[in-house]
Each structure stands twice: as C-alpha cells, then as structure tokens.
Amino acid sequence: MQTQDNTMTEQSRETNDMKSEKATDPAIESGLKRLTPERIQKTINQVLEKETGPRFKAYVETCMRCGMCADACSFFLSNDRDPYFMPAAKVKNTIWEMLAKKGNVSKDFLRQAVRISHLECNVCKRCAMYCPFGIDIAYMMLLVRRICHKLEITPQYIQDTVNSHSVTLNQMWVKDDEWIDTLQWQEEDARDEFENLEIPLDKVGADIMYSVIAPEPKFQAGLIYQAATMMHAAGIDWTMPSTPGWDNSNMAMYTGDNEISGRIARAFFETAAKLRVKRIVMGECGHAFRSVYDIGNRWNSWVMPPFEVVHALAFYHELLTEGRITIKEKYKKKVTLHDPCNVSRGRGLHDKARQVVNMVCEDFVDMVPNREHNYCCGAGGGVINCGPPYKNERMVNNRNKAEQLAATGAEVLIAPCHNCHSGLEDIIHHYDLKMEIKFLGDLIYETMEKKIYTPGK
Amino acid sequence: MNSFIAFIMGPMVWISAIIFVGGLLFKGISIIQSVRQKEPYIFSYMTVKHSLRSMGAWLVPFFPKSTRLRPVYYAISYLFHILLFVVPLFLASHIVLINEAFQVSWPALNDGLADWLTLLVIAALIFFAVRRQMVPEITYLTSAIDYLLILLVLLPFVTGFLAYHQWFAYRWMVVAHVLSGELMLIIIPFSRFSHMLTAPLTRAYMGSEFGNVRHARDW
Amino acid sequence: MKPWKRKFIHRGNKMKKWTICAVVLGLLSAAGWVVVFAQEDQYLERLDSWAFESPRRPGAVFSHDDHIMDLDDDCSICHHVYEEGELVPGESSEDYYCSDCHSLKVSPDNKMPLEAAYHNLCRDCHFDRGKGPVLCGECHIKE
C-alpha cells in the first residue's frame, strides 16, 4: 500500500487500532435477543429457497474461489489486503455458511452477517466487473440484508430512514407542509437573483418533473435553490410535486425491505403520472437513481422505468450542449471528479460528466482509476446511513479512497452524488486532505451566466 | 482382467459420456426451465449482442482489468483451459481409438509436443494447488474440496503421461488413466466443474445488465 | 474477543507452507529420476513396420512361434482371405504381405486400412480369447 504522506499513515494506524472496539448497535442487539433458532432457520431458508432462483444457484455453484474479486474491493484494499474483506470472503462468511448449515446458524454468526452485509459492503458492484464469470456478489449481499430485515436485525439508523419512508414516503420525516414551505422559501430567496423565478408546484403537463431526495429540503435547501435558478435560466417547463412521492430516495432498497422499497418507487412514478410530465429529472444522487432507474421499476414489474429518468449529470450535459445555460467564466481551481457507482457503473454517465466538467472548469485532473473502475466512496449502498456509530470504521475502511484523492493534487473534488458527497467529505476531514468538496451543480451555479435563455439567441 | 479392460474401455466410456453430456444438458434445461418459472425477468434483460460483447471482451487475453492485476495466474489459467481441451482431443492415441470406433478422424498433435503440453497442464495444476497455499486471499477461500477438484483433473493427465512413457506398471496405469478420465467426466455436471456450462450464462447475464441497462463496460 | 471478530489468518504458517511445497517437489523429482534410469535394455521380437509411412509407434512386439502354437497351426485365422467383403473359409494367404490388400487409407478395393486391420485382428482376438495384450503400450513397447 502506498501512502501519500506520513500523517496519513499515522492516522490510519491509529484508526486501525480502533477496529478492535467496534460499535454496538441497539437495534441489532435487541433484535438478536428476540430471535429463536427456529425462526432464524425458517427465515433464512424461506429467503434462500423461495426468494431466489437459478441466478443465485448459478452464482453459488459457479464460483471457483479464484480470488480475482479481491482487487475490486475498497475494503480489501484499505485494510492491507486482508482476505476477510474480499468480496468472495463476504459470501463465504454469510451465504455459503447459511447454505452449508441449512439456515441453522447462531446469533453471533448473524451479528457478523449484519456487519458484513450492511457495513463492509457498499453493494457498488465493482467486484462484478472483476469476476471472470460476472458473479454478482452485491446481489448476494443484498440477499443477506433481506434476511437481516426479515429477522429484524437491521442497524438502527438506516432502519429509522426506512420507518420514515414507510410513514411519510420520504426518508427524513419531512412533513407535508414543511416540504411546500421549504420550496416556497427557496423560491422567495431565488427571486433576489431572478425577479420572476418560480418553483411551479403540481403543474400538470409540464415537460419535466424535478425531484430530489429528502435530505435536500431537510438540510441542503440551497441545492433546490440552485436547481431552480438553472431551470429558470434555461427556460425549462418544469414542476415539482407538492404531495408525498416527491422524494426519489429509497433506503428500503438497501435494507432488503423490498415491499416498502417497491411502494416508494411506485408512489414516485404515480406522482409523475399524475402530473403527466414527459420526463423526470433528478438531483445529484446516486442511490435514488438506482432506485428509480434500475430497482424500483423492476419490483413494480416494469422492465425499464415507465418514465425517462434523467440524472442531473445527463441533464447538465443537455443544458450546456444545447446552450440553454452558458458559462460566464470557467472555474479556475484545479478540480477532480468522483464517479459514483450508481451513475457511472450504473448508467455509464462518466463520459458526459467529464464533458460537463471540462465545459465548466479550466483545470480538470482525473483520478486513477476512474470511470467504471473508480474506487467506491465507501459511504454508498446504505453504509453511511447506518449512522455515526460506524463512522470511525468507515474511515479506516476507506483509506484507499483517501490515497486516490490525495494523488490527484486537486483543490476541489466534485462528487455528483449525495452519499458519495457526505462520505467523501468525512474522508477529506479525517485524512486532512485540504480539498473542497462540491456538487457539479454548485460549480455550474457559480460559473453560469445569470440570464434567461431565449431560443435562437 | 481383459474383460474388465473391455468394460472400462467400452461400455463405461459410453456411460460416462452419457452422464457428462446428459448431465450438462439436463442442468442447462433445468436452469432455463427454472428461469422461466421463477425469474423470467432474466430473459427480459438478456440480449445476444451484449452477451457476446461481454464474453468477447473476457476472451481477449489481458483485456479485462482484473486479468491485468493478476497476470501470472491469469496467463497460466488461460493456457490451462485451452490445453485442457486441446491435449486430450488432439492426442494421437485418443484419435486412433475414436477412429476405430466411429471411423472419424482428425489431425493429431505430434507425440513429443503433446507430451510437453501434458507436462504444462500438470505444472499448471500444481501451480493452482501451490497458489491456494501461498496467496492469503485464496487460502482464505479454499477448502478441501478445492484440492480434490484439482486432484480430479490432475489424475488423468499424470496417469496418461506415465502410461505414454510406459513407466511403472503399464497395465494399471492405463486402467487408472481410463478410470480417472471417466470419473472426471462423470463428476463435471455434479460439481463446480459445471462452470463450463454456467460461467458463460452468468457472464452473459452480467454482460447484458451492464450493456443493456447500465450502459457501462463490465471488464 | 468480540464474537464478530474475524478469524485471523495465520500468516506465520507461510514458512511451513514453503517447506511442504519444497518437500513435495523434491519427492516428485526423485520419483522422476528413478523412473528414467530404471529402464532395462531388452531384446524383443517385433513386427516390421516398413509398410507404414513414418509410424508414430514402434512395431508391435510379436512372437510368430507362440501364435502358431496357440492357434494349433491354423494359419488362416490371421492370414485370412476376403473376397468381395466375405471371408473365404479354409483359404489362407501366407504368401502375401498384409499391406498387399490392406492399403494405408480406405480405398474402393479396401475397406479396412492397414493400421485398423492390425489393431482389430490382434486386439479383438485377444479380447475374445481373454488372452494376450490389449492395451496400446502392451504391444507397442517403447524401444
């Protein structure tokens, strides 16, 4: 392992020592207390037999234990190539064992299985690209999470977000009036810049429904402001829903609570259908994109999403290449770009993202590896959502990302995904990387010409 | 003794060939059937184009990134898989037997070359076993069955090599060679050797997901 | 130790593993040595393989006298005569070379190429009588 400087090595050693004191989670512990061996066995067998099919069987029977997946995993690379963290080992310590013992596993085993599936795997699917057979280990980790969900031993913080989804259809317990209030507040603020700016609510038949994740109204309302100014400046016929279904995030997808996950996605698509919009544009979030582009639609029996779902990266690309937004002066600082798994490996938007960055910034340096092969932020896949108790080990488990970032020498890190953004911010502070972190929208907002687009001009 | 040899070189060859082909065929059909029954969505995402794109990319030596990260293992493994088929199928002694049974024949490898290639296969298998001991991440995944699988492939090649050179008890060596070869064929459908059937399927599915849905490369 | 703590792999075993590997390789090469140098020279009566173009194997080990004895002087069992695909009983063909009829390749006059003729005649008879060599290397003994 190459480290960038001495301070980092010191720090990683320190944090490595902290590994021995791992966080305990009240939800996992109280959940385990409630379990009986019969229930454990019944639940595991139900999931493995009834909820899987030939795909799972083929994955289990095909793996030749070659170990080529190891090089893919951030956890493996960050922990001095400790075999325990390699993708196949995660399957060995969960699924293989469950199969071998026919579901008759102990509570200690389950405690470890929760950790492995929820905290030691970002379900980023990088390993699927490193396996010669294309075995989808993330799929199997999600199966383990499904089992944990059914056994009610999901970590507390992420379970709370699912509870929120279940009650409010958004992730952050945002109340219906708070949502509308926040949008109006942002609208009002933005009118300082654009006199007639509107955030049109429930405009039936608009071209575009813009949707965000609940953390935006909760504590990053400025992002809605920025999006509104971009929409306004670009002269887009857009709307935002005022009713539940506005939140495109989906934490239930990551806890294995497929029923609620499906409900969230369905409510989302129904909201768009009610507004009869042509397309859905979403903010810079990766997992939300995965939910409505890849997972939620499947649960609701659509092969592909019933609406064209456009991620912010692709939308920015469209606005800039069509000239709907023009850049006044390019951003000067040296920037680098993080490719979030769910939009690069998940939708191939990495090249468009680079084009946008080059249109907006003067000095762009790529990180290595990049595009589909970029290292995971370590936060996605629900890992960061397991909350502060696990932050320290998350920092240890993401040393390789810190090294990768430091090697770019960039002053600004662009992270076009909420989970990546939060995780990388933690990494930057923890490893003292002296980098600013920004969304791509931040930079576009900062550099764009604040004038309204008129066609033909 | 001669009647025993007649059995293992006659009916037993048929039996093992039928179990091998039939077993894989049955496995393939039951996979397709259960996909149809339990996971029909798989057909919705599979496309010929992206399946072939993915398989093609993974057949080009050192094209996928992970193969470049473990070049020695990958090179040996790649060569091994080719030789595993080429050596037995193009061995003069095997072609003579097939020719006498079915009156079909094809060009054979030169005996000396085949001999060296057999040694290469054996060396590759020993390398695999040693690697399981030496590389910590592989050791972590390895169980007794992995060595057993290596042994199962090793046996027909070692006995074949010794029989060709007529070292040790020739008659018993041939018997061991024939039996171990048949054993390997019989075991294939019931063990992880069946990756010769399932690996292209999982590859094709992942290739389709990446190509068709994710619009990204999977190599 | 906390129950979820992983099972540590024992890196200390690395030396031991090297030793085991070295010992195994040593034994293998010793076996190879013994095999190569334990061959004895011996004279064996063989069939002449002049009729074959660049034969892959040495001529089969064959004792004519033993066969005459075992087959009770019935030459026609091996030196047979076929006319229009039918065996002619009682006739024998000692004065001909096998290759006079059995050409190397299948031709309109000959359905049975020379190599297959030998293999089928010898091996099948040995199988039928439960006597004599039947495996490749039992006749084509290395020179």
Side-chain angles (χ1 to χ4, degrees), chain A residues 262-438:
Chain A
R263 228 182 89 212
I264 297 165
R266 189 184 172 93
F268 179 75
F269 288 132
E270 277 174 353
T271 304
K274 210 171 59 191
L275 295 177
R276 293 211 293 277
V277 293
K278 297 194 181 74
R279 300 193 291 168
I280 297 169
V281 172
M282 49 191 302
E284 291 176 52
C285 182
H287 96 276
F289 185 76
R290 182 177 183 154
S291 164
V292 294
Y293 178 71
D294 195 359
I295 309 291
N297 52 305
R298 297 191 194 201
W299 180 266
N300 289 298
S301 302
W302 281 294
V303 172
M304 294 307 278
F307 285 87
E308 188 190 342
V309 180
V310 185
H311 187 268
L313 285 180
F315 189 61
Y316 298 152
H317 186 264
E318 193 180 307
L319 293 183
L320 284 165
T321 47
E322 285 178 6
R324 282 177 172 267
I325 283 183
T326 44
I327 301 300
K328 195 160 62 186
E329 202 179 352
K330 277 191 173 185
Y331 193 71
K332 294 271 185 303
K333 290 182 185 168
K334 189 176 182 183
V335 299
T336 186
L337 172 73
H338 169 81
D339 292 297
C341 62
N342 288 321
V343 294
S344 62
R345 195 149 49 244
R347 184 57 183 80
L349 293 181
H350 37 260
D351 289 327
K352 277 188 177 171
R354 271 164 186 72
Q355 285 171 22
V356 172
V357 171
N358 279 319
M359 278 189 264
V360 176
C361 303
E362 256 175 16
D363 190 4
F364 167 63
V365 56
D366 232 328
M367 46 180 91
V368 184
N370 53 48
R371 296 181 170 82
E372 292 101 330
H373 286 277
N374 185 30
Y375 289 136
C376 179
C377 64
V383 171
I384 194 171
N385 307 78
C386 292
Y390 301 105
K391 188 183 161 190
N392 284 335
E393 56 190 274
R394 183 155 55 80
M395 292 301 99
V396 175
N397 290 337
N398 226 351
R399 199 185 67 206
N400 80 321
K401 187 75 209 178
E403 286 159 5
Q404 183 200 23
L405 293 180
T408 62
E411 296 164 89
V412 176
L413 166 63
I414 303 170
C417 162
H418 273 281
N419 272 332
C420 300
H421 199 276
S422 312
L424 294 173
E425 196 163 15
D426 289 342
I427 291 172
I428 286 173
H429 289 152
H430 182 87
Y431 291 97
D432 200 16
L433 289 180
K434 313 258 187 309
M435 266 182 174
E436 278 179 84
I437 181 161
K438 286 183 183 292

Side-chain angles (χ1 to χ4, degrees), chain A residues 22 24 82-84 108 111-112 115, chain C residues 2-9 11:
Chain A
K22 287 199 168 164
T24 52
D82 183 340
Y84 171 80
D108 286 343
R111 189 182 283 111
Q112 195 192 19
R115 290 198 67 84
Chain C
K2 294 268 166 53
W4 59 74
K5 287 235 351 193
R6 63 215 160 82
K7 299 157 206 152
F8 285 99
I9 48 137
R11 291 208 175 80

Side-chain angles (χ1 to χ4, degrees), chain A residues 83-97:
Chain A
Y84 171 80
F85 287 104
M86 68 187 288
K90 293 171 192 172
V91 185
K92 171 194 159 99
N93 289 331
T94 56
I95 294 280
W96 292 348
E97 191 79 0

Side-chain angles (χ1 to χ4, degrees), chain A residues 126-373:
Chain A
R126 195 171 187 253
C127 49
M129 296 167 61
Y130 283 63
C131 172
F133 301 160
I135 293 176
D136 191 349
I137 288 176
Y139 163 78
M140 289 191 270
M141 286 302 108
L142 287 171
L143 268 183
V144 178
R145 292 188 190 182
R146 171 77 172 160
I147 290 168
C148 294
H149 156 68
K150 290 200 145 190
L151 292 171
E152 299 175 81
I153 49 173
T154 302
Q156 189 179 32
Y157 277 78
I158 193 169
Q159 183 58 49
D160 182 69
T161 63
V162 178
N163 295 348
S164 170
H165 274 306
S166 166
V167 177
T168 65
L169 282 175
N170 74 67
Q171 191 200 121
M172 293 261 129
W173 301 100
V174 178
K175 291 182 188 139
D176 293 358
D177 58 333
E178 281 174 3
W179 163 243
I180 298 169
D181 202 42
T182 308
L183 294 181
Q184 286 179 339
W185 162 41
Q186 291 310 313
E187 181 183 70
E188 208 179 306
D189 277 7
R191 281 183 181 173
D192 289 346
E193 278 188 278
F194 288 98
E195 221 180 314
N196 299 318
L197 184 144
E198 260 186 77
I199 298 183
L201 293 188
D202 298 333
K203 184 180 169 194
V204 176
D207 284 345
I208 282 170
M209 177 176 103
Y210 184 66
S211 76
V212 296
I213 61 167
E216 292 201 11
K218 196 78 181 178
F219 46 74
Q220 290 164 304
L223 292 173
I224 298 175
Y225 174 115
Q226 286 176 7
T229 56
M230 274 186 247
M231 291 287 189
H232 187 72
I236 301 287
D237 177 19
W238 68 300
T239 185
M240 289 182 86
S242 71
T243 50
W246 53 266
D247 180 10
N248 52 26
S249 76
N250 192 338
M251 275 304 136
M253 165 179 87
Y254 282 148
T255 63
D257 196 341
N258 299 343
E259 291 76 9
I260 288 182
S261 166
R263 228 182 89 212
I264 297 165
R266 189 184 172 93
F268 179 75
F269 288 132
E270 277 174 353
T271 304
K274 210 171 59 191
L275 295 177
R276 293 211 293 277
V277 293
K278 297 194 181 74
R279 300 193 291 168
I280 297 169
V281 172
M282 49 191 302
E284 291 176 52
C285 182
H287 96 276
F289 185 76
R290 182 177 183 154
S291 164
V292 294
Y293 178 71
D294 195 359
I295 309 291
N297 52 305
R298 297 191 194 201
W299 180 266
N300 289 298
S301 302
W302 281 294
V303 172
M304 294 307 278
F307 285 87
E308 188 190 342
V309 180
V310 185
H311 187 268
L313 285 180
F315 189 61
Y316 298 152
H317 186 264
E318 193 180 307
L319 293 183
L320 284 165
T321 47
E322 285 178 6
R324 282 177 172 267
I325 283 183
T326 44
I327 301 300
K328 195 160 62 186
E329 202 179 352
K330 277 191 173 185
Y331 193 71
K332 294 271 185 303
K333 290 182 185 168
K334 189 176 182 183
V335 299
T336 186
L337 172 73
H338 169 81
D339 292 297
C341 62
N342 288 321
V343 294
S344 62
R345 195 149 49 244
R347 184 57 183 80
L349 293 181
H350 37 260
D351 289 327
K352 277 188 177 171
R354 271 164 186 72
Q355 285 171 22
V356 172
V357 171
N358 279 319
M359 278 189 264
V360 176
C361 303
E362 256 175 16
D363 190 4
F364 167 63
V365 56
D366 232 328
M367 46 180 91
V368 184
N370 53 48
R371 296 181 170 82
E372 292 101 330
H373 286 277

Side-chain angles (χ1 to χ4, degrees), chain B residues 68-79:
Chain B
R68 273 174 273 147
L69 295 173
R70 292 175 190 267
V72 178
Y73 167 67
Y74 179 73
I76 292 178
S77 182
Y78 195 93
L79 196 66

